Amino acid sequence: MIKIGLLGCGNVGHIIARHAEGFRISAVFDMIPDRAQELAAISHATPYSDFDEFLRADVDLIVEAASVAAVWLYGEAILRAGKDLVVLSGGALADDEFKSRLVETARAAGRKIRVPSGAVTGLDNLKIGQISPLGTLLLRTTKSPGSLGLQPTERMEIFKGAASDCIKQYPKNINVAVALGLAAGKEADVELWVDPDVERNIHEIFAEGEFGDIYIRVRNVPSPENLSTSYMAALSILTLLKNLDNPLVVGT
C-alpha cells in the first residue's frame, strides 16, 4: 500500500484522512503543531513540526495541501529527498522560472510532480493541445462578491487578461487557470467575474483548435468545513491517490 505524507493539515488534509482508501497516511506536517497532532490522531499517522524530520519519514510521496507559498518553500526539498510530489496549489507553477527549476529537480532525482484536476474537469482532453496547439483557451470564473471582499450590486467583471497577470492581483484564484495551461501547453486567458446572485463558484472553460471546440461549465459545491475550498478539488486528490497503484489507466 502506498504511504503518503501530508504537507498541510487543514480542511483538505482532513477530507483526505476521512476518505483514505488504497493508500495510507503515514506522516503529517504543519507549521501549527496542534493541527498536525489533531490530524495525526484521525489518520493514525506520525505528526511532525520539524520539516527536515518530516522529509525523513518513510513515505512514497508527499501531498501538498497547504498553499502556493508552501510549494515554493518546500517543493524542491521534497523532490531532492526522493519523494514524489502532489501539488494542489497549482498557482505556484505560474512562475515559469520556479516551474522550470522544480521540473529539473524532479528529473534529476527521478521523481514525479503530479497536479490533480482540482476544481474543474476536462484536463485530460485538453492535453491534445500539446500535440495540436489550441487557438483559444479561456477560463471564465464567477464568484460571489463576498469571497473576494467586494460588495457590488450587480454582476461585474473585475479582471480580464493572461493567467500570469491574474495571479499578481488575485493569487488565491488562479490554481484552475494554471492547471489548464499546464495541461494544454498554452497559457490560459482569464476572466474573473463577481455576481451577487451566485452561491457557488462557477468555472467555464472555452477551448478551440483543429479538433473542434470544447465548452465545460462547473458549479462547485464548497467544502462543508471551509467555504473557501472546493470540495471537488479535495476529491480530485483522493481520486489521484486511489488510482496510483491501479494497473488500469483511464484517460491520457
Side-chain angles (χ1 to χ4, degrees), residues 199-235:
E199 296 180 355
R200 302 181 184 179
N201 291 346
I202 301 172
H203 297 297
E204 296 174 277
I205 301 165
F206 303 82
E208 187 172 351
E210 293 179 344
F211 67 92
D213 59 85
I214 294 172
Y215 171 68
I216 298 170
R217 183 174 185 265
V218 180
R219 295 175 66 240
N220 279 313
V221 174
S223 171
E225 293 85 6
N226 186 341
L227 298 182
S228 66
T229 299
S230 163
Y231 191 48
M232 187 175 183
L235 294 178

Side-chain angles (χ1 to χ4, degrees), residues 117-123 139 176 179-180 203 205 218 220 232:
S117 55
V120 292
T121 63
L123 293 192
L139 171 69
V176 170
L180 293 174
H203 297 297
I205 301 165
V218 180
N220 279 313
M232 187 175 183

Side-chain angles (χ1 to χ4, degrees), residues 30-252:
D30 199 283
M31 294 289 290
I32 302 174
D34 287 349
R35 291 172 62 170
Q37 293 282 353
E38 178 188 2
L39 191 56
I42 295 171
S43 58
H44 307 290
T46 302
Y48 293 90
S49 56
D50 182 275
F51 182 73
D52 290 334
E53 292 182 4
F54 174 64
L55 274 187
R56 291 192 288 269
D58 181 20
V59 299
D60 301 299
L61 78 163
I62 290 177
V63 175
E64 173 274 317
S67 65
V68 165
V71 181
W72 288 338
L73 185 60
Y74 300 122
E76 291 173 88
I78 289 169
L79 296 166
R80 286 196 296 265
K83 321 288 188 185
D84 284 356
L85 173 62
V86 175
V87 175
L88 179 61
S89 304
L93 305 179
D95 183 323
D96 286 336
E97 181 180 346
F98 172 76
K99 179 182 68 177
S100 296
R101 196 166 67 242
L102 196 69
V103 170
E104 287 306 313
T105 300
R107 182 175 288 114
R111 310 313 304 178
K112 295 285 187 181
I113 305 163
R114 304 179 188 274
V115 181
S117 55
V120 292
T121 63
L123 293 192
D124 277 357
N125 281 337
L126 286 176
K127 290 179 184 177
I128 63 176
Q130 299 174 22
I131 308 300
S132 178
L134 302 179
T136 299
L137 180 61
L138 169 66
L139 171 69
R140 179 182 297 147
T141 294
T142 303
K143 296 191 167 189
S144 65
S147 67
L148 293 170
L150 302 174
Q151 296 180 323
T153 57
E154 59 185 20
R155 177 179 171 85
M156 63 179 290
E157 185 179 52
I158 61 172
F159 177 86
K160 182 175 183 178
S164 56
D165 293 325
C166 187
I167 195 171
K168 298 171 186 176
Q169 298 183 46
Y170 302 98
K172 295 182 179 180
N173 297 275
I174 201 64
N175 287 338
V176 170
V178 172
L180 293 174
L182 291 172
K186 172 185 173 66
E187 183 177 19
D189 292 317
V190 176
E191 293 179 5
L192 183 57
W193 294 75
V194 291
D195 187 337
D197 293 327
V198 304
E199 296 180 355
R200 302 181 184 179
N201 291 346
I202 301 172
H203 297 297
E204 296 174 277
I205 301 165
F206 303 82
E208 187 172 351
E210 293 179 344
F211 67 92
D213 59 85
I214 294 172
Y215 171 68
I216 298 170
R217 183 174 185 265
V218 180
R219 295 175 66 240
N220 279 313
V221 174
S223 171
E225 293 85 6
N226 186 341
L227 298 182
S228 66
T229 299
S230 163
Y231 191 48
M232 187 175 183
L235 294 178
S236 75
I237 294 183
L238 284 165
T239 304
L240 183 155
L241 295 173
K242 179 180 178 179
N243 286 284
L244 283 175
D245 264 353
N246 195 335
L248 176 62
V249 179
V250 180
T252 58

